Amino acid sequence: MSYGWIDPAKYSINCLLLLDDILIRVIAKYDDAEFRNQLGVVLAAHPAILWYFGESCPEYRAHFAALAAEAGPAGGEEERRRAEHYVLDALDWAVVYLYPEVMERLGYIADWQPEKLLEMADLRGKTVLDIGSGTGRLAFAAAPYAKVVYACEPVGRLRAYLREKKRRLGVQNLYIVDGTIAELPFPDDMFDVVMSGHVFGDDYEAEYREMMRVTKPGGYIIDCPGEDDRQKDGPDPEVLRLGFAYSHYKSGRGGDVYRYWKQKAGFAN
Ligand SMILES: C[S@@+](CC[C@H](N)C(=O)[O-])C[C@H]1O[C@@H](n2cnc3c(N)ncnc32)[C@H](O)[C@@H]1O
């Protein structure tokens, strides 16, 4: 379950108090028995985290309370620390969202070259959306060419980081907004290019419909992942089923990287 992205001993379990509700909902759906058991130990030992999870996601309040109750009264210091490290390690994907400077150093972002996006689409003068922008890997690559780029990101600390990075780099044509791929805060037919990386795929049909909705007739949807080191058997069949074209390259780290694109029918005006 862990990507091995963090040393859990270096993080406080209190960072769970910084998680956005969208991330807590993902955690609530974990069905791994050991994870649930260890999370229960953490929640039993840290009533403030149990309270915060319940307040953030009332629909899962009873679920989290049950995990804490099943774990029973807090054990010794050793058991608590072991559970904290287990949970932080298993949730490394979410912990890095809270520490964007750590996320920026992950291979899939740090080793990626902006040309990999630019060779997919002519962004000059275009109105571009980056969904689940993260640290802005795609958004900042597009900004020097596009007319305007919107970086849509549901995690508050990542939005704060994007704003700080925009100031630091002196980028003028980038706007940072809250929103999810399932509910994009934009009108129909707004964008020439709608792009994302490592976001599309929880609910292919619904997310595809929402991305199509905000894409102009004749515009493009692009899925441009970073420099993975994972070997893959082939392109994502669900994405192909939705009619996307794809290309493949071997990353510098030996992984199979598939990029996807689809043009929305109709003519741009
Ligand atoms: C693996 S990171 C990828 C970040 C960036 N797109 C990249 O490729 O470098 C996934 C990003 O999607 C965001 N995210 C998570 N759930 C999302 C959702 N339902 N809709 C949009 N973005 C989401 C996360 O906060 C995170 O920034």
Side-chain angles (χ1 to χ4, degrees):
M1 248 188 344
S2 156
Y3 290 100
W5 280 344
I6 61 164
D7 174 357
K10 295 197 172 138
Y11 292 81
S12 164
I13 197 68
N14 287 332
C15 71
L16 298 188
L17 294 166
L18 298 172
L19 293 175
D20 302 73
D21 57 350
I22 188 171
L23 305 178
I24 297 171
R25 277 191 197 95
V26 174
I27 295 167
K29 291 182 195 138
Y30 272 42
D31 61 3
D32 180 84
E34 184 56 13
F35 176 81
R36 286 183 165 205
N37 180 37
Q38 298 294 333
L39 181 61
V41 172
V42 166
L43 295 175
H46 296 278
I49 298 176
L50 176 60
W51 175 86
Y52 174 68
F53 275 24
E55 286 295 301
S56 301
C57 306
E59 72 274 33
Y60 288 113
R61 195 194 310 272
H63 167 72
F64 289 124
L67 292 186
E70 280 159 27
E77 175 83 354
E78 183 58 27
E79 184 197 357
R80 182 180 57 77
R81 284 185 64 79
R82 205 171 338 107
E84 288 175 5
H85 287 185
Y86 182 97
V87 166
L88 287 169
D89 191 37
L91 297 181
D92 58 356
W93 60 271
V95 173
V96 298
Y97 296 165
L98 305 174
Y99 296 97
E101 64 288 353
V102 175
M103 189 172 166
E104 286 270 36
R105 292 198 294 271
L106 298 178
Y108 84 91
I109 295 175
D111 297 345
W112 182 76
Q113 301 300 315
E115 296 74 53
K116 297 297 183 191
L117 170 66
L118 304 175
E119 64 196 24
M120 287 185 78
D122 181 3
L123 299 174
R124 284 172 298 179
K126 300 286 167 52
T127 300
V128 176
L129 170 63
D130 179 22
I131 303 171
S133 196
T135 59
R137 179 176 64 88
L138 296 171
F140 284 96
Y145 306 93
K147 179 170 141 204
V148 62
V149 179
Y150 286 83
C152 184
E153 170 53 57
V155 170
R157 280 171 72 98
L158 284 168
R159 286 197 304 280
Y161 178 78
L162 287 165
R163 285 194 291 271
E164 180 278 319
K165 186 170 172 180
K166 172 186 159 156
R167 272 194 301 274
R168 177 163 35 94
L169 299 180
V171 176
Q172 302 291 334
N173 60 339
L174 176 66
Y175 297 91
I176 295 135
V177 297
D178 189 3
T180 69
I181 189 168
E183 203 169 356
L184 295 166
F186 302 103
D188 297 355
D189 302 341
M190 177 163 167
F191 296 99
D192 298 297
V193 177
V194 171
M195 57 187 189
S196 67
H198 306 284
V199 180
F200 183 28
D202 281 345
D203 181 343
Y204 287 97
E205 291 280 352
E207 292 167 7
Y208 170 70
R209 270 199 308 276
E210 184 64 350
M211 289 192 287
M212 269 292 177
R213 182 184 68 74
V214 300
T215 306
K216 284 182 188 172
Y220 283 86
I221 300 179
I222 286 175
D223 184 358
C224 186
E227 299 287 309
D228 223 312
D229 58 1
R230 272 178 296 154
Q231 319 284 312
K232 300 201 182 86
D233 292 336
D236 184 335
E238 292 292 322
V239 180
L240 298 193
R241 202 173 49 74
L242 292 166
F244 282 74
Y246 73 92
S247 70
H248 165 267
Y249 67 93
K250 276 279 180 196
S251 75
R253 305 164 74 218
D256 293 299
V257 185
Y258 288 93
R259 295 172 295 177
Y260 306 88
W261 65 92
K262 181 166 182 177
Q263 187 173 25
K264 181 169 170 176
F267 295 102
N269 51 23

